[in-house]
Amino acid sequence: MTEAAARRAPGTPCWVSLMVHSLSATQEFYGALFGWEFRPGPQQLGPYVRALLDGKEVAGIGQLPPDRHLPVAWTPYLATDDVDATAESVRHCGGTVGVGPLDAGEAGRLAIGSDPAGAVFGVWQAAAHLGMAVTGVPGAVAWNELVTRETASVAKFYQAVFGYAEEAVVSADFDYLTLHLEGHAVAGVHGVGNALPRDRGAYWITYFEVADVDEAVERVADLGGHVVTPARDSSHGRVATVADPEGAQFALVAPPRP
């Protein structure tokens, strides 16, 4: 378990946020699934709450304006010391900036952009709000992964903007690499070729840790969500991909027991 009250190195995933149509129903779903409690956060983009796990902030959920038909999806925020300069770099390197940069009250300054393959991510310049206060425990974020057609070209974009080093997983039939900062893996990039739905495009997926994946998958279904890919064993533990009642996909992972 890592306590993360310190300011993070630029490029480190520091927060995840979800924009939905029904804030109250979504709070009920995740509260029942992960044991989250909620308190109001900055309202610059409309009604917004922060999810707490044992009193520590782990994620944000906001309400989409009724006239905005954006995809409902979990979005990772990558840390920066200067969101305006990072937004400029995103544009310069072939990405787009759709929201901001703008101030989120006293909390910090943000932008939301997309990479050249269309995957949406946020950029966060922390002020009062440093991001996730806890990771790597059940109910908190465990990992962020970019799902894209092929890793090579899009990895160059993230390297250019955020200065990542990359490390490929050596495999004849598996296109996967990890993005590293200061010697630590901070995110993954998974090239899935034609398995990527054409109508969807590339996307980031958030992995939340749970104590028991199979039990959590059952609970997702009971709470009105659905299973996207059933639970399976992987080198990182048992994993499943699910979606909440509004269709936002996320992964559940239970690390291998020592």
Side-chain angles (χ1 to χ4, degrees):
M1 173 172 136
T2 53
E3 295 287 337
R7 186 173 292 271
R8 289 171 172 83
T12 310
C14 61
W15 189 242
V16 290
S17 199
L18 173 65
M19 299 294 283
V20 296
H21 299 288
S22 174
L23 194 52
S24 57
T26 301
Q27 284 175 251
E28 282 180 31
F29 172 85
Y30 287 100
L33 181 62
F34 292 136
W36 290 352
E37 294 170 339
F38 299 92
R39 71 165 168 237
Q43 310 288 307
Q44 269 67 21
L45 298 173
Y48 189 83
V49 294
R50 290 186 185 151
L52 309 178
L53 187 66
D54 299 325
K56 296 183 172 72
E57 295 180 345
V58 289
I61 303 175
Q63 187 158 315
L64 283 167
D67 55 336
R68 294 294 290 276
H69 297 289
L70 297 168
V72 174
W74 280 101
T75 301
Y77 280 73
L78 308 172
T80 181
D81 290 336
D82 184 340
V83 74
D84 295 79
T86 301
E88 196 53 47
S89 183
V90 165
R91 291 191 193 97
H92 180 72
C93 295
T96 56
V97 177
V99 176
L102 57 86
D103 288 322
E106 304 295 306
R109 192 163 165 79
L110 68 89
I112 299 172
S114 54
D115 67 26
V120 175
F121 61 93
V123 183
W124 182 252
Q125 180 182 334
H129 177 62
L130 295 172
M132 294 178 284
V134 60
T135 57
V137 299
V141 174
W143 184 243
N144 289 282
E145 188 171 278
L146 173 63
V147 181
T148 188
R149 206 168 293 284
E150 49 87 28
T151 60
S153 57
V154 79
K156 287 185 176 66
F157 166 82
Y158 287 97
Q159 281 179 297
V161 175
F162 294 105
Y164 298 123
E166 63 174 63
E167 193 173 297
V169 173
V170 180
S171 167
D173 56 354
F174 194 52
D175 181 15
Y176 194 96
L177 54 85
T178 47
L179 301 175
H180 290 245
L181 285 174
E182 299 170 350
H184 299 287
V186 295
V189 184
H190 189 186
V192 297
N194 293 327
L196 189 72
R198 291 207 171 274
D199 58 346
R200 176 146 197 213
Y203 60 94
W204 279 92
I205 188 160
T206 301
Y207 284 69
F208 291 98
E209 186 164 322
V210 290
D212 183 322
V213 167
D214 298 84
E215 181 187 54
V217 164
E218 274 186 38
R219 204 176 320 152
V220 165
D222 291 343
L223 293 167
H226 67 272
V227 180
V228 179
T229 53
R232 68 195 185 281
D233 291 313
S234 77
S235 56
H236 302 293
R238 197 152 172 80
V239 182
T241 308
V242 295
D244 69 19
E246 288 202 18
Q249 293 190 15
F250 57 99
L252 301 167
V253 59
R257 292 191 174 89

